[in-house]
């Protein structure tokens, strides 16, 4: 099967195991146009009611003094770590080996901000207090990602999290939350976003991913910290003349999806339970702690993908269209985030479709 | 007059001396939704037909091998200068004292990229070859802004420009064009964009301003340079999951406004001629070299603004709503960029409205 045929099959699908239903720019822009007040004025270089009121809303929700909307989380987090490092007079920060800054940002934190990193723990699990105690040099800031995306959305328990925060506070180390998927761990902790965020000096949250916005992020924290972050945002080239398409879609995403996080999490657990019945499937973590999990499949990845696409062609239902290699011999995996599209597939149907795939691959 | 009253008057206006007619997000998004092909797929982290084909189109127009779309010019230009500096093994670059990097970017080029600057010439005019000859230390790159925005859109002559480029080339200094308003100097040089751009190793162009896009910029240059720029874009946090609202509006802006540059320039010259009849007005440069000029007004700025807003309230036509101080005693100024709204005001009407303002202030 060539790439073009593969893309045609994917495009023809109407139901999806993963995430939300895909939308074209035309659909997204039409909805935004329809739902935007005709009188609403554009933001202007970060100023104006639209963007300020949204920043305030998120700051309140996170229990922080202030917040700033930026084009990307990459920008938010490098800036946060730079500020905390300067305040603590030491350009060294600590995070997980699979942290976004370490594996997805082309080492911007080094090349732009001249920060050094300490990698805490191992790539297969969340770090805990014992891992932090092994850090043998001073650091200015500790970044904790909730949930840890690259390992299937794992979370520390509330007590484990508090123990780490206490360790950092005692040492005068600033704590920053990578909350790209903070929305998705609310059901696990069963605490308000403000209570979770209260453990951290600064918090970054994202508006695409589960919230389905076009793009965009917010950094929240103390008022003087956010004022400083705005200066860095300009330096990064992120203080755009207009950010309103992103802000409007972020607001819409919050209004549509935030209340469904519990539902997504419940569905994730029941889907994981169904998938675990297959001897050739392993789910990580099991049970899922958020709406996300990694699904490990035993077998030849090319044949599995081919089988999944054959099923997709016939049923217009897409389970997965790509698999990434793993260290585990004979296993490859895909990331499964439960969203609106997942909710519309019954667990019985999911079971049957995987049976068909394994029958022929 | 308080700020709220002022804003109400501005909002009630239907005709404008400056620029294009203002549009609300609702209007912009509605137009984008209507004109976007229902089948068009979103860009994804800088990939996809929409963004790639637009990048190629602009690269071709500028006669460059490759181009990359970024959220902002700030990002494009710091990145360009960083790359040229690394290639020339010296973190030092030269530009005009009113360069965007020097006065509008919170010294990102220093704080993020650790570049040193050499300021060439003086703040009141474009620099020329004689100014460059006074640079007494080695530099890696020379940035030339065409036109120089902060001094009313002044341009070097074609011969002056070529002489400077030749000086740089002989010394192995990379040349970068700040073409935020490149579109606007085409009538002055009466040469193709590719011919103007051919003088430079890299070129940045912008899609808001006269093109009226939502935001967004392109950096164009050699293929290996652009490949490197994409890595820096990710480091800056500018490689967004979706940039399509900006790309779509940039395409629309090109289609709508590019062919009108000659008309804007002609109108700018005739408006400058009308304004110059007033003893209390000085236009810089006169005649305008692009569609832009600075209009210096003699008199008390508060009274002039009040008079302009009184005229606006009565006629629904806004001439200016703010004035910035100048070094010239008794004079303040506003920037006048000629756009679609300007074209719809007759010069006779412009003369009459300024007469009314000067009558009462």
């Amino acid at each position: 099967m060539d790439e073009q045929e593969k893309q045609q099959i994917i495009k023809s699908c109407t139901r999806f195991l993963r995430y939300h239903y895909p939308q074209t720019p035309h659909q997204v822009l039409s909805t935004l146009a329809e739902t935007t007040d005709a009188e609403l004025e554009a933001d202007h270089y970060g100023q104006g009611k639209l963007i300020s009121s949204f920043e305030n809303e998120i700051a309140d929700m996170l229990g922080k003094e202030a917040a700033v909307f930026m084009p990307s989380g990459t920008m938010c987090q490098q800036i946060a770590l730079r500020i905390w490092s300067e305040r603590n007079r030491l350009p060294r920060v600590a995070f997980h080996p699979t942290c976004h800054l370490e594996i997805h940002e082309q080492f911007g934190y080094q090349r732009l901000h001249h920060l050094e990193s300490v990698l805490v723990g191992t790539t297969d699990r969340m770090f805990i207090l014992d891992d932090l105690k092994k850090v043998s040099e001073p650091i200015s800031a500790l970044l904790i990602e909730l949930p840890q995306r690259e390992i299937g959305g794992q979370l520390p328990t509330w007590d484990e999290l508090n123990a780490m925060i206490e360790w950092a506070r005692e040492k005068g180390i600033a704590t920053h939350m990578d909350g790209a998927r903070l929305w998705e761990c609310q059901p696990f902790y069963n605490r308000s976003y403000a209570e979770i965020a209260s453990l951290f000096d600064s918090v970054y949250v994202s508006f695409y991913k589960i919230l389905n916005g076009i793009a965009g992020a917010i950094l929240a924290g103390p008022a003087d910290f956010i004022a400083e972050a705005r200066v860095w945002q300009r330096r990064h080239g992120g203080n755009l003349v207009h950010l309103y398409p992103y802000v409007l879609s972020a607001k819409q995403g919050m209004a549509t999806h935030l209340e469904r996080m519990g539902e997504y999490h419940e569905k994730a657990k029941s889907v994981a339970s169904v998938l675990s019945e297959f001897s050739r499937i392993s789910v990580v973590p099991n049970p899922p702690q958020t709406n996300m999990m990694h699904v490990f499949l035993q077998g030849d990845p090319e044949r599995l993908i081919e089988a999944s696409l054959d099923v997709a062609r016939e049923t217009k239902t897409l389970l997965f269209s790509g698999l990434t290699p793993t260290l585990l011999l004979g296993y490859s995996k895909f990331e499964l985030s439960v969203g609106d599209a997942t909710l519309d597939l019954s667990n019985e149907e999911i079971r049957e479709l995987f049976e068909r795939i394994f029958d022929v691959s």
Side-chain angles (χ1 to χ4, degrees), chain A:
Chain A
M1 190 179 305
D2 65 11
E3 186 58 29
Q4 205 186 345
E5 191 183 349
K6 182 175 163 180
Q7 290 308 321
Q8 273 173 349
I9 294 173
I10 295 171
K11 255 184 109 165
S12 72
C13 286
T14 56
R15 309 178 74 208
F16 305 87
L17 175 61
R18 305 191 301 164
Y19 199 48
H20 303 311
Y21 293 99
Q23 288 190 300
T24 63
H26 175 75
Q27 289 171 310
V28 175
L29 294 169
S30 298
T31 308
L32 277 190
E34 281 161 25
T35 54
T36 298
D37 184 339
E39 295 297 311
L40 179 84
E41 286 177 38
D43 57 306
H44 195 247
Y45 291 112
Q47 303 299 312
K49 195 177 156 194
L50 168 67
I51 195 163
S52 300
S53 65
F54 186 61
E55 287 168 344
N56 291 338
E57 182 189 321
I58 301 298
D60 286 348
M61 180 179 279
L62 298 175
K64 298 298 179 197
E65 279 179 8
V68 53
F69 192 97
M70 299 200 192
S72 72
T74 296
M75 211 176 273
C76 288
Q77 299 211 105
Q78 286 181 26
I79 287 172
L81 296 183
R82 172 71 175 256
I83 296 173
W84 293 130
S85 292
E86 291 201 354
R87 290 194 180 184
N88 281 334
R89 304 291 190 274
L90 175 72
R92 189 179 302 131
V93 296
F95 38 65
H96 193 267
T98 69
C99 174
H100 198 271
L101 283 97
E102 189 64 17
I103 66 175
H104 289 308
E105 301 180 10
Q106 297 278 359
F107 297 105
Y109 75 88
Q110 296 177 19
R111 303 288 201 287
L112 286 173
H113 291 285
H114 296 253
L115 298 177
E116 298 174 359
S117 56
V118 174
L119 303 183
V120 185
T122 56
T123 53
D124 59 319
R125 58 171 177 82
M126 274 303 288
F127 53 70
I128 54 173
L129 180 60
D130 281 349
D131 300 298
L132 289 176
K133 284 181 174 169
K134 289 176 190 152
V135 173
S136 59
E137 50 191 342
I139 54 171
S140 283
L142 170 65
L143 179 151
I144 301 181
E145 184 181 345
L146 297 182
Q148 193 75 43
R149 186 255 177 116
E150 299 290 341
I151 51 174
Q154 294 183 41
L155 284 166
T157 66
W158 185 248
D159 287 345
E160 284 169 347
L161 182 56
N162 273 275
M164 292 192 284
I165 297 294
E166 203 176 316
W167 174 88
R169 290 221 169 126
E170 273 172 13
K171 292 184 168 343
I173 296 166
T175 52
H176 170 76
M177 187 211 295
D178 178 341
R181 292 168 181 77
L182 167 64
W183 318 117
E184 309 176 28
C185 48
Q186 201 278 329
F188 177 81
Y189 290 124
N190 196 23
R191 291 166 195 270
S192 72
Y193 294 114
E195 193 174 353
I196 303 170
S198 72
L199 300 180
F200 295 85
D201 295 310
S202 58
V203 176
Y204 139 66
V205 292
S206 176
F207 299 103
Y208 64 107
K209 307 174 181 101
I210 199 63
L211 294 184
N212 214 16
I214 302 176
I218 267 186
L219 180 64
D224 60 343
F225 170 90
I226 294 303
E228 206 172 335
R230 288 182 188 278
V231 175
W232 282 107
Q233 179 183 12
R234 178 155 273 266
R235 289 180 182 139
H236 264 258
N239 179 232
L240 305 188
V241 58
H242 299 309
L243 281 165
Y244 63 77
Y246 297 143
V247 178
L248 288 167
S249 76
K251 281 169 69 93
Q252 195 171 81
M254 294 287 285
T256 308
H257 297 286
L258 203 59
E259 63 186 21
R260 297 183 195 160
M261 292 301 151
E263 211 178 339
Y264 298 151
H265 180 50
E266 286 306 314
K267 181 71 176 177
K269 286 191 289 188
S270 71
V271 169
S273 169
V274 165
L275 295 181
S276 301
E277 294 168 12
F278 291 92
S279 63
R280 289 172 62 188
I281 291 184
S282 289
V283 171
V284 176
N286 198 3
Q289 295 170 302
T290 67
N291 68 323
M292 173 197 281
M293 68 199 87
H294 281 187
V295 180
F296 287 71
L297 301 179
Q298 195 180 26
D300 176 64
E302 290 311 312
R303 291 188 56 195
L304 285 163
I305 292 170
E306 190 104 5
S308 172
L309 291 171
D310 283 342
V311 167
R313 179 167 28 212
E314 244 180 81
T315 63
K316 307 289 173 219
T317 306
L318 185 65
L319 296 180
F320 57 89
S321 57
L323 292 169
T324 53
T326 76
L327 279 174
L328 196 61
L329 197 67
Y331 278 88
S332 51
K333 70 173 178 179
F334 68 92
E335 182 181 274
L336 169 51
S337 281
V338 167
D340 289 351
T342 325
L343 295 182
D344 291 341
L345 292 186
S346 76
N347 292 342
E348 191 43 49
E349 190 174 359
I350 293 169
R351 180 186 291 111
E352 282 167 19
L353 293 172
F354 271 99
E355 274 168 4
R356 289 180 57 171
I357 287 174
F358 287 130
D359 278 350
V360 299
S361 67

